[in-house]
Amino acid sequence: VVFLVSSQPLLGLFGERVQAGLAGARAIETLVVPDGESAKTPETAIAVWREMLRRGGKRDSRVVALGGGSVGDLAGFVASTFLRGVAVLQVPTTLLAQVDASVGGKTAIDLPEAKNSVGAFHHPDWVLADSDCLASLPQAELRCGLVEAVKMASLLDAELFSRIERDAELLLAGDAEALRPVVVAAIAAKASVVEDDPEEGGRRRLLNFGHTLGHGLETADGYGGLRHGDAVAHGIRFALRLGQSRGWGHQLAPRLLDVLARLAIPALERVAPGPVIDAMRRDKKGSEAGLAWVLAEELGRGRIVTDIGWPEVEVALAAFLDEAWPGPA
Ligand SMILES: NC(=O)c1ccc[n+]([C@@H]2O[C@H](COP(=O)([O-])OP(=O)(O)OC[C@H]3O[C@@H](n4cnc5c(N)ncnc54)[C@H](O)[C@@H]3O)[C@@H](O)[C@H]2O)c1
């Protein structure tokens, strides 16, 4: 049995195409999950596991995840655990999922206490990223995908960073010719890091640039209106600030902030530091010794820093959240 996991709007957009692609499969069972981040709950995972059992799922069944990073993370997690693990095929339909989430095997669901706090590494057998899918993507989703591409480029691929810098407006407008090489380069950068470090023991941790505060903001927001990519953009700004107070990133920071501003990242809504700090204290990147921050030394050079005390983070965060960004033009 092939279990096609997706949300109603995405099945409306792409269901027929995927069904046609799966025509050779013995049986296709479609499992509809909530759209967006609200798919990533324990309740949805339980509902999908139970439905898979009822509809004849076995060890050699397969899961096809059709959607953005949310469906991909949920379906990948369900596949990783169902009958101790069945194969998953990722069909990413957002830019963010194409450049980042579908590659590398991280899967997870959220708990109210902390984002992605239950999950597994479960690599997809295949990733099928069709750039035609991006044509229907709203600009806000393009922006979020570009943030993940910027994150990757700034620490791993200086050439890709310059390309995004050059083409930011075209990319944000969804220009297919401009987007294609960015998707290809970002996938290549991510795949090469993941191949060397599949379970994030070392260099792969650089891909968490911007994610410590980003996830804290999303958790404090209750996975409401704040998009993942936008949260990461603000997380990158905060990581730059922590780096600058150590004397790093002075050349990179203005370039990175300029690209983020050109991508029209919306200002952060007013948020109290307390719940954000609480969420960061539960961040899965933390060890019992403390939290690992990814900071940027310079373009193409990231650094994992584990000796930043909570008092420093609290003071820096309070100032950061008080400041308007982007400032007056
Ligand atoms: N596993 C990883 O390595 C990894 C990496 C980065 C992010 N993530 C996760 O990915 C999630 C965010 O994913 P996302 O940004 O793709 O958002 P998303 O999956 O929540 O999708 C956002 C919205 O876009 C819509 N959409 C998807 N494809 C579309 C298309 N082609 N046309 C029109 N609308 C479309 C969806 O229906 C949804 O409403 C977060 O939960 C984040 O934690 C995971």
Side-chain angles (χ1 to χ4, degrees), residues 242-329:
L242 291 177
Q244 283 181 299
S245 67
R246 280 156 183 76
W248 301 332
H250 286 300
Q251 280 162 10
L252 174 62
R255 287 177 70 184
L256 202 38
L257 292 174
D258 178 60
V259 172
L260 293 178
R262 285 167 61 205
L263 293 180
I265 306 299
L268 203 49
E269 303 251 312
R270 270 238 158 281
V271 43
V276 182
I277 293 281
D278 289 347
M280 288 199 293
R281 282 181 183 274
R282 290 190 288 262
D283 188 292
K284 67 182 178 334
K285 293 181 290 303
S287 68
E288 287 175 15
L291 206 47
W293 288 87
V294 184
L295 306 185
E297 270 189 310
E298 267 322 324
L299 183 56
R301 234 183 28 246
R303 196 121 147 198
I304 313 286
V305 178
T306 53
D307 63 352
I308 306 183
W310 283 109
E312 178 183 344
V313 174
E314 281 171 28
V315 171
L317 184 65
F320 178 83
L321 294 177
D322 245 5
E323 241 174 57
W325 185 87

Side-chain angles (χ1 to χ4, degrees), residues 6-11 13-14 34-40 66-74 90-108 110 115-116 120 130-138 140-141 144-145 148 151 190 200 204 207-208 211 215 218 223 227-229 232 284:
S6 193
S7 69
Q8 203 66 64
L10 293 170
L11 285 166
L13 280 170
F14 307 115
D35 192 52
E37 193 72 26
S38 49
K40 290 178 57 174
L66 170 71
S70 299
V71 167
D73 276 9
L74 167 85
Q90 294 280 355
V91 187
T93 61
T94 61
L95 180 62
L96 185 142
Q98 293 197 354
V99 299
D100 194 356
S102 62
V103 179
K106 276 195 189 177
T107 74
D110 305 326
K115 189 175 154 75
N116 290 346
D130 179 348
S131 48
D132 286 353
C133 289
L134 305 181
S136 53
L137 212 53
E141 301 301 338
C144 287
E148 293 282 20
K151 165 203 82 174
K190 178 147 186 195
E200 204 170 281
R204 182 169 180 177
L207 296 175
N208 294 323
H211 281 60
H215 283 170
E218 283 182 89
Y223 317 113
R227 288 184 164 83
H228 178 69
V232 169
K284 67 182 178 334

Side-chain angles (χ1 to χ4, degrees), residues 28-52:
I28 304 165
E29 293 287 340
T30 302
L31 303 176
V32 181
V33 297
D35 192 52
E37 193 72 26
S38 49
K40 290 178 57 174
T41 64
E43 293 74 20
T44 307
I46 291 171
V48 175
W49 285 318
R50 294 185 66 184
E51 207 50 45
M52 286 170 73

